[in-house]
Amino acid sequence: MGAARTSTRRRRAVPWLVLGLWIGVLALASPFAAKLSDVQRDRAVDYLPASADSTQVAKIQDQLPGGETTEMVVVYHRDGGLTAADKATAAEQIERIAGAHRLTAEPQGIPSTDGTTLMYPVASNEPGTDEEARDALVNDVRDVAKGGDGLSVDVGGEGALATDAAEIYNSLDGPLLYTTAAVVALLLILIYRSPFLWLVPLAVAGVADYLSMGVAYGLHQAFDLSVSGQSSGIMTILVFGAGTDYALLLVARYREELRRVERPYDAMAAALRGCGPAVLASSGTVAAGLLCLLAADLNSSRGMGPAGTVGVLCALAAMLTLLPALLVLFGRRVFWPLVPRYGSTPKARRSLFAAMGSSAGRRPRTVLAGGAVLLGVLALGALNLPGSLKQEDSFTSKPEAVAAMETLAAAYPERGTQPLTVITPTGHADATLAEIEDTRGVDSAERGRSGDGWTEITVLAASAPQSAGETATIEALRDTLDGSYVGGPSAEQLDLKDTNARDRLIVVPLVLVSVLLILIALLRSLVAPLLLVAAVVAVWGAALGIGGLVFGPVFGFEGTDPGLGLLSFVFLVALGVDYGIFLMHRMREESLNGAEPVPAALTALRTTGGVIASAGLVLAATFAVLASMPMVQLVQLGFVIAVGVLLDTFLVRTYLVTSASVALRRKVWWPGALSREPEPAVQPKAPQPVGASAQ
C-alpha cells in the first residue's frame, strides 16, 4: 500500500513540478524576450558576405568621420517635361535639405536628355549612424521633397531603399506571429475535432516561441549573434511548424496508449517512450542541418542557423515536457467529445493511407519508378527560374525608393544613377583616383572623406545599375585596384550572388553528412538513411522546379533570390527527413516486434500516415504564411518549402518510401540485424518410449 501511495503522489506531483519549472523559466526569459526586437538589425552589413569587398566597405565607412554615409537620390519628374517652375521648386527644396543637414557635398542637379526628369544625388554623414538616425534623415528629406500638380517627387537611392526595407521587416513580427498562430489553430481544430484540445499545443507553441526570443537575445549578448528580420521570422515559423509536428505525433501516440493504459500518467510515459526517440532524432536532424549554416560566408545565412536551431530546440523542450504535463493534468476529458476510453478500440475503417499502402504493396517497383519520373520532370522546371533578383524587384508592392529607381532607369537608360564606393588607403588615394578615372566603364569619380588611414571615393558607372555593363565595371575596378575595396548597392548584389554559389558547395555536403549520420545512428542501417536522404533531395529539386514554373509566369517576379537554393535545401532536407523518421522508426519498431517486412511497412504507413499528413499540412501552412509577406525573398522561400513539404507528405512518404521499403524488404535495414532472415525455430524431438531401442 505504501508503494502504491508513493506512486500515486509521484503521478500527481510530477506534472505540477514541470509546470512550475516552466513558469520559472518564462519569468527568467521574459525580460530578455522583450528586448529581441531592439537588437534586430537589417542593415546591408547584416546580410552581406563576411569576407566580401562590399562588407569591408560598409565596415570601414562606419569608422570614417561621420560614420556610414547615407546616400539618396531625389528625383523630380513630369511626364510632359519639367517646367521652369518645377526646376525652381526642386532647387529651393534641395537648398532647404542642404541647410538642415550636413551633406558630404553640395547637391548638383543632373537633367535627363528628354527633359522629363531631374535628379539630385544627396549624401550625408552627419552624426548618428544607426538605423534610427538613417531613417530619420530619409524621412526628413521626404518631408521636404514634395511634388504636386503633375510633378512627382520620389526619394530613392541606397539609404532610402534601406529605410523602406527596414520598415517592411519591422512590420513583419506582429502579422507573421498572428497569422502563423491563426493558421495553426485552424488546422488543429480541423485535425482534433475538439473544442479544447487544439488550445493546448497552440499555447505550448506560443510559450516556446517566447522562450526562443529570450534565448536568441541572450546569444546575441553573449556571442554577438546576428539577429535580422529574416532570421527572427524564420525562428517563429520553425517554433510553430516543427513544434506542432512534434505535438501531433505525441498526442496521437498518447491517444493510442490511453486505450491500453488506465492512468493518463502511465499512458503518457508509454507514449514518450514510444515516440520520444523519433522526436529527438527529428529535432536533431533539423538542428544539425541548420547549424551547418554556420559554415556559410553569407552573414544572413550564418545568423539564421543558430536562430533557427534555438527555435527548434525550444519547441522540442516545450513539447516533450510542458505539453505532456498539461495533457496529464487535464486528463482524458481534454479529448472531448472523442474521448479515448480505457479498454476501447477505435472504429475499424478503411483509411486513405491503408488504401495507398495496399496499392504501393501490390506494385512497388511500378509506383517507385512512376514517382521518380514525376519528380524528375518537375525538377526540370528549375531551368525556368528567372535570373538574380535586383534590389528594386525585392518588394511585392512598390515603395517610394523603388518608384524613384524605376523613374531613373527610364529617364537615364545609358548612365549610372547609383554610385559605387571605393575605399582605398589614404596614402594612395590620388593614384587610385587616377586609376579609377582611367578604368573602362567609369563615367566620373570624386574623392570623399578620409580618416583612420582610409579614403572614400564615389564612382558613377557609365552603365545602368545592375546591368551587365556595370557588373563588368565593378569587376574591372576590383581587378585593377590593389589594396582597395569596391562596394555599394550593385557590388553588394554581385557579392551576394557569388557568395551564395560558394556557400552551396560547402554547406550542402555538410547538411547531407550530418543528416545521414543521425539517421544511421537512429535506424541502425545504411540503406534506409540513404533512401530517405535521396527522397528529400528529389523533393527539393521538384519544389524548385515548380517554383520555376510559377514565379515568372504566375507571380510576375522579375528575379530569383540568390539564397533560395541553399536555404530551401537546408530546410527541406532537415524538415523533410522528419517525416521519414516518423515512418521508418515505426516500421523498425514493428519489425523488432516480429512483423515481416511488407506488413511492417504497411502497418507503419497505416498508423503514422494520418499523423504525418496532419504534420505536413501544418508545417506547409506555416511556411506558406511567408508567401503573404511583402518581400519577394520571403515569398519564394515560403512557397518552395511549403510545396516541398506537401510533395514529401503526400507523395514521397506515402508512396515512394513505402514502395521502396516493400521492394527492398529486409535489405532496407542492411547491414543491421533486421536485414538478416530470422533463424527457423528448432523443433523439439519427440520423446521415445522407454525400451524402444531394445525392440
Side-chain angles (χ1 to χ4, degrees), residues 77-83 86 114-117:
H77 175 81
R78 185 183 291 273
D79 288 337
L82 293 171
T83 65
D86 294 336
D114 62 5
T116 62
T117 308

Side-chain angles (χ1 to χ4, degrees), residues 34 37 70 77 90 196 251 270 434 466 468 497 512 535 551 649:
S37 60
T70 299
H77 175 81
F196 308 112
V251 171
Q466 298 184 45
K497 179 181 177 182
L512 293 176
F551 285 165
T649 302

Side-chain angles (χ1 to χ4, degrees), residues 537-556:
V537 171
V539 164
W540 169 70
L544 270 185
I546 294 175
L549 297 176
V550 302
F551 285 165
V554 178
F555 294 161

Side-chain angles (χ1 to χ4, degrees), residues 132 180 217 251 546 566:
E132 292 184 1
T180 302
Y217 177 80
V251 171
I546 294 175
L566 176 63

Side-chain angles (χ1 to χ4, degrees), residues 262-460:
E262 183 176 3
R263 298 178 184 275
Y265 179 92
D266 297 331
M268 180 57 73
L272 287 171
R273 286 194 300 271
C275 69
V279 172
L280 287 171
S282 169
S283 60
T285 57
V286 179
L290 290 173
L291 286 177
C292 289
L293 287 171
L294 287 171
D297 189 37
L298 196 66
N299 281 343
S300 56
S301 297
R302 194 170 62 252
M304 190 180 296
T309 302
V310 165
V312 170
L313 295 182
C314 287
L316 172 71
M319 295 305 171
L320 289 187
T321 57
L322 180 58
L323 177 63
L326 292 175
L327 290 174
V328 169
L329 289 174
F330 289 135
R332 297 175 186 270
R333 59 184 177 273
V334 76
F335 289 94
W336 187 86
L338 304 175
V339 179
R341 304 294 179 187
Y342 172 56
S344 65
T345 56
K347 293 181 180 179
R349 53 184 179 183
R350 180 72 169 171
S351 72
L352 170 65
F353 297 99
M356 296 173 79
S358 298
S359 63
R362 286 193 300 269
R363 299 181 181 84
R365 290 178 176 81
T366 303
V367 171
L368 189 59
V373 169
L374 174 61
L375 291 176
V377 170
L378 290 175
L380 293 176
L383 300 174
N384 195 48
L385 284 169
S388 295
L389 191 68
K390 295 182 179 180
Q391 281 185 310
E392 63 264 30
D393 299 324
S394 298
F395 306 90
T396 56
S397 57
K398 188 187 294 184
E400 183 176 337
V402 172
M405 294 172 74
E406 290 181 350
T407 301
L408 291 173
Y412 305 85
E414 301 300 329
R415 65 163 295 154
T417 56
Q418 190 166 257
L420 305 173
T421 301
V422 175
I423 296 291
T424 189
T426 300
H428 303 285
D430 292 335
T432 300
L433 181 61
E435 286 186 273
I436 292 172
E437 291 174 337
D438 290 338
T439 301
R440 184 175 181 180
V442 171
D443 181 70
S444 64
E446 181 180 347
R447 182 168 174 162
R449 299 172 293 168
S450 293
D452 201 24
W454 297 97
T455 294
E456 179 183 72
I457 299 175
T458 301
V459 181
L460 272 178

